[in-house]
Amino acid sequence: MTRSTSLPIAELAEKISADLGADAVSTDPVKLARASVDWAHMSPILKEKLPAGRADLLVTPRSAEQIPVAVKHAYDLGVPITPRGTGLGNYGQAIPLHGGIVLDTSRCQRIVAVDEGTVTAEAGARMRDLDNELRRTGQELPIFPSTKGSTLGGFLAGGSGGTGSLIYGTNADGFVRALDIVACDGSGELRHVEGDATVPYIHAYGTTGIIARATVVVTPAYDWAGVFTAWDDFDSATGFLRSLGAVDPSPRLVSLDEAVIVGALPEDPALDPNRLSVRAIVRTETVDEVRRLVADQGGEVLDVRADSERVSALSFNHSTFHLQRKYPGIFHLEVAGEKLWSDPDAVRAVYPGTILHLELMRTEVVGMLMASYSSPEQVHDGMERLEAMGVSIHSPHTWILERRIDRVRAVLEDNDPRGLLNPGKLPPS
Ligand SMILES: Cc1cc2nc3c(=O)[nH]c(=O)nc-3n(C[C@H](O)[C@H](O)[C@H](O)COP(=O)(O)OP(=O)(O)OC[C@H]3O[C@@H](n4cnc5c(N)ncnc54)[C@H](O)[C@@H]3O)c2cc1C
């Protein structure tokens, strides 16, 4: 791999600035430092490895068409390229481990077309802006992450799911209709891929190509309500979680926090720090049914809000974020499986003091397991024990890509023959 110190950065900056304008490149040390970090520090294991890489050049294209111009110059000069959206990824996926360019796509924000059933936008469009624009046409995004201010490209290339995944699955389950990608092959062109051919680019950290534009599926806009409930014990709270899975039409998000997490969330009269919280985003026509379920099962409805954004913003890794702010020595694992609610004590026994955040999905329950951190060995030993009992784990303690490696490798020879795209993120072959 090319070492950062030997890269022809000045020549590259000159070429890109000649084509895209002087304001498209920067070697300002403060900007380079900012462009070289993401939320990897949420993992105490990754935190010990930081800083893990630093950009030599920040390139900020203003449109999808400008991306292949920059990529071709980098290809010709053999300079690594790490794409970036808003840098909200939490495994270090956006860290330029081998230096080179950080290609910040966040200013490529054009919403190209809102059609019936799809929206096409440049990679840097924010998920929130897309959803707001869609609402004007009576449509909405079927899924979006709890970090709704993040980019479309970053969510597709680095994220996975969020609000709506309970109904529609992850970003690799048919959400993406087509992509215009930029391969690092010297072509200097945008390449259009559709349907199954988009899969190698989803959650691939930009190792197979840079997403310049994306067409994603949208649905009619529904009326949603955010329901906040409180529960005295884990069994009744998870019982309610299960029963929400049968509500028809389905909720789009159902999150459970144990009381310790609730106590770490921003203060809100709808969050009781002494009880478990189950929050759901439900169709308004099902609110009465949901109220009945709560009453029948011994919980309490603390609030029902027409604006459900807050429920989204407290879901998934936001529970980790808030708990770590209050208790900095916490690590987390992304976990899934029946055992989480059928035998929580066995799960808790692996790391004493375990705290659970659960999310209801279409066919299973997933969540964040949080506990006090002592060492990488403690975390890894516990992961083995959890897996042995049937809890599946996605580790947030590595920036090495773990999903769909075969699909990624199948396009690498064509798309990245010089190994310049986000190097250091693929497992050894
Ligand atoms: C508190 C917290 C909560 C979170 N909640 C969720 C959640 O609910 N669901 C979820 O899925 N994730 C979640 N995440 C992770 C992350 O916020 C999302 O995945 C987010 O959508 C990433 O978007 P971004 O624009 O910040 O991408 P970045 O972090 O900038 O990039 C992510 C990855 O994609 C690559 N990339 C960026 N843009 C492109 C592009 N145009 N083409 C190719 N590759 C590109 C980067 O190199 C990097 O590998 C959370 C993170 C935090 C810190």
Side-chain angles (χ1 to χ4, degrees):
M1 175 52 58
T2 323
R3 289 195 42 231
S4 188
T5 46
S6 62
L7 296 172
I9 295 302
E11 188 184 350
L12 180 60
E14 209 173 290
K15 284 181 188 292
I16 295 178
S17 117
D19 285 342
L20 303 189
D23 63 345
V25 296
S26 176
T27 51
D28 174 342
V30 174
K31 288 185 181 168
L32 292 179
R34 272 198 211 127
S36 303
V37 295
D38 62 7
W39 281 68
H41 56 269
M42 285 184 87
S43 155
I45 296 178
L46 293 182
K47 194 174 176 182
E48 283 168 22
K49 299 179 181 171
L50 302 177
R54 189 168 181 279
D56 299 293
L57 182 67
L58 176 62
V59 177
T60 315
R62 307 275 168 157
S63 69
E65 286 71 21
Q66 288 191 346
I67 296 175
V69 178
V71 171
K72 178 165 170 38
H73 287 309
Y75 173 86
D76 290 344
L77 293 172
V79 175
I81 309 163
T82 302
R84 180 180 179 87
T86 50
L88 278 163
N90 51 290
Y91 326 123
Q93 307 104 300
I95 297 175
L97 296 178
H98 294 266
I101 289 183
V102 162
L103 188 88
D104 178 348
T105 59
S106 66
R107 293 199 194 153
C108 306
Q109 296 187 9
R110 199 159 73 87
I111 299 178
V112 181
V114 179
D115 297 312
E116 208 180 311
T118 60
V119 61
T120 302
E122 292 184 334
R126 307 299 195 268
M127 299 299 281
R128 174 171 290 111
D129 294 342
L130 281 177
D131 207 29
N132 290 343
E133 191 61 29
L134 284 165
R135 288 245 155 215
R136 281 190 254 279
T137 68
Q139 303 185 93
E140 67 186 13
L141 284 173
I143 57 170
F144 55 83
S146 64
T147 46
K148 206 174 178 184
S150 61
T151 65
L152 174 61
F155 175 58
L156 297 182
S160 161
T163 296
S165 289
L166 169 50
I167 306 173
Y168 302 103
T170 72
N171 55 8
D173 294 327
F175 177 53
V176 182
R177 183 65 62 80
L179 297 173
D180 289 327
I181 63 108
V182 182
C184 191
D185 58 357
S187 67
E189 289 172 354
L190 289 165
R191 192 197 302 166
H192 189 74
V193 291
E194 290 184 1
D196 183 64
T198 64
V199 172
Y201 305 95
I202 300 172
H203 200 83
Y205 305 170
T207 56
T208 48
I210 292 163
I211 298 168
R213 260 191 305 256
T215 300
V216 297
V217 170
V218 303
T219 61
Y222 299 107
D223 286 330
W224 299 103
V227 180
F228 295 72
T229 68
W231 300 83
D232 288 329
D233 61 86
F234 191 82
D235 283 352
S236 47
T238 50
F240 175 57
L241 210 67
R242 278 182 201 271
S243 65
L244 282 173
V247 171
D248 185 22
S250 172
R252 70 192 314 207
L253 183 77
V254 177
S255 313
L256 176 152
D257 278 322
E258 292 196 273
V260 184
I261 304 173
V262 185
L265 299 178
E267 272 186 41
D268 187 316
L271 298 168
D272 177 350
N274 298 311
R275 288 185 283 174
L276 292 94
S277 167
V278 178
R279 300 173 297 277
I281 303 180
V282 307
R283 294 273 287 270
T284 47
E285 64 266 38
T286 65
V287 166
D288 288 344
E289 181 187 350
V290 171
R291 281 185 184 280
R292 269 195 304 277
L293 289 172
V294 177
D296 289 351
Q297 295 173 61
E300 185 184 355
V301 175
L302 298 185
D303 204 0
V304 176
R305 294 181 185 162
D307 180 359
S308 58
E309 287 279 315
R310 182 145 183 78
V311 180
S312 283
L314 293 176
S315 64
F316 289 89
N317 225 4
H318 272 86
S319 50
T320 317
F321 166 73
H322 290 294
L323 198 70
Q324 281 188 336
R325 278 219 306 200
K326 189 160 179 187
Y327 306 106
I330 296 282
F331 75 96
H332 77 291
L333 295 175
E334 295 180 18
V335 287
E338 183 64 23
K339 208 81 176 175
L340 294 172
W341 57 12
S342 65
D343 195 358
D345 287 341
V347 172
R348 288 189 186 105
V350 172
Y351 303 108
T354 284
I355 302 158
L356 290 172
H357 165 90
L358 301 182
E359 297 279 350
L360 190 66
M361 288 288 122
R362 260 193 313 198
T363 53
E364 60 178 354
V365 64
V366 305
M368 303 292 164
L369 179 156
M370 295 168 246
S372 292
Y373 176 73
S374 57
S375 68
E377 294 72 31
Q378 166 225 17
V379 175
H380 290 125
D381 290 353
M383 283 166 63
E384 280 176 24
R385 287 173 60 198
L386 285 166
E387 280 173 334
M389 69 171 72
V391 175
S392 55
I393 295 173
H394 180 241
S395 171
H397 305 293
T398 175
W399 45 60
I400 302 296
L401 189 63
E402 291 176 327
R403 290 185 195 156
R404 296 182 288 274
I405 299 297
D406 291 352
R407 295 297 304 268
V408 166
R409 288 206 197 288
V411 301
L412 280 183
E413 202 177 316
D414 282 345
N415 290 18
D416 189 22
R418 303 186 74 178
L420 296 173
L421 287 175
N422 205 353
K425 305 292 164 50
L426 294 178
S429 43

